[in-house]
Amino acid sequence: MQRTFVGPFFSLAALSVAIVTLLSCSRSERFAGQWQGNAQTIQIQNASNATATVTIDFAPAAGQNGSGNVNISAVINASQPATSNGIDQAYQANIVATASISGRYAAEDKDYDDIILSLDPSTFSVNVDPDGVSFAQNAFTGAEQPMLDSLTTVTAERWRQYITPAVRDLFNSYTTIEDIEVHNNDILKFEIGHKDYVFNRTGVPD
């Protein structure tokens, strides 16, 4: 009777599949976690200067290689010399704002070095806390506190309106991330529109 000897063949095939699956998972999850970039200059209406520090958090979906949830957040610092009715001298306003948006990401190819982000506009938010608004020292010498409090509230809301479109454009620029590289598990390099970025790991996934 002729016997077909298939055991080792199937074992080798299974091992090959396991290795490929393991490598795929490893590559697709290597950028999982939280990453923060350096402060970058952005253009905001009426700001003499403004920067944004962006943080990206990738959370891979269980059992779905190369895809998962993503959150992008930013801390924005802006300033502008200005004047206000009722105050004789010019003053400098310094504003700190936060913004965020969430969505999904998916690998564009099996190499997992290009990903596409689908950001949910309904999750987009910008917040300028009045406590994050400050004015140049001694600019309001002699000004009554109620006037200063009122100006702070007005300034915070005005700057939220200025910052919102600039940050929306900034976040939308991250919808395609290319040539992803992870070095020493704590440095993330990638390209957006042929511009190089370097982010540092600030957190690992749960």
Side-chain angles (χ1 to χ4, degrees), residues 82-92 136-143:
T83 58
S84 175
N85 292 334
I87 297 178
D88 294 333
Q89 65 189 106
Y91 63 90
Q92 166 119 0
Q137 188 176 7
N138 299 325
F140 294 101
T141 301

Side-chain angles (χ1 to χ4, degrees), residues 6-204:
V6 296
F9 174 78
F10 281 110
S11 297
L12 181 59
L15 180 60
S16 299
V17 171
I19 292 174
V20 170
T21 301
L22 181 61
L23 290 175
S24 296
C25 291
S26 177
R27 286 189 60 80
S28 65
E29 295 183 2
R30 71 193 190 283
F31 51 82
Q34 193 174 82
W35 306 84
Q36 186 176 83
N38 297 320
Q40 59 185 100
T41 300
I42 59 174
Q43 299 300 316
I44 295 178
Q45 180 184 355
N46 293 328
S48 57
N49 59 75
T51 62
T53 302
V54 174
T55 299
I56 307 177
D57 191 352
F58 295 105
Q64 299 181 28
N65 289 347
S67 65
N69 298 318
V70 64
N71 178 267
I72 306 178
S73 59
V75 176
I76 301 96
N77 290 271
S79 62
Q80 179 205 14
T83 58
S84 175
N85 292 334
I87 297 178
D88 294 333
Q89 65 189 106
Y91 63 90
Q92 166 119 0
N94 300 297
I95 297 88
V96 178
T98 57
S100 66
I101 192 169
S102 299
R104 300 275 301 171
Y105 74 89
E108 191 173 23
D109 53 42
K110 292 183 179 180
D111 291 332
Y112 304 106
D113 54 6
D114 296 338
I115 59 174
I116 298 174
L117 275 59
S118 177
L119 302 175
D120 183 354
S122 69
T123 65
F124 176 67
S125 66
V126 176
N127 179 57
V128 181
D129 190 333
D131 289 340
V133 177
S134 62
F135 301 96
Q137 188 176 7
N138 299 325
F140 294 101
T141 301
E144 296 182 357
Q145 189 63 40
M147 179 187 295
L148 182 57
D149 291 342
S150 176
L151 181 61
T152 298
T153 301
V154 170
T155 300
E157 175 56 26
R158 183 172 67 244
W159 276 92
R160 188 188 68 80
Q161 296 177 24
Y162 292 159
I163 289 169
T164 294
V167 177
R168 181 183 290 113
D169 289 344
L170 175 64
F171 285 168
N172 284 337
S173 71
Y174 282 80
T175 52
T176 301
I177 300 178
E178 301 176 313
D179 297 334
I180 295 174
E181 298 179 8
V182 177
H183 298 272
N184 300 322
N185 202 37
D186 58 6
I187 297 176
L188 179 69
K189 293 184 176 181
F190 56 89
E191 288 185 9
I192 295 178
H194 303 292
K195 181 178 179 180
D196 294 329
Y197 290 82
V198 177
F199 278 44
N200 293 299
R201 185 183 291 280
T202 60
V204 295

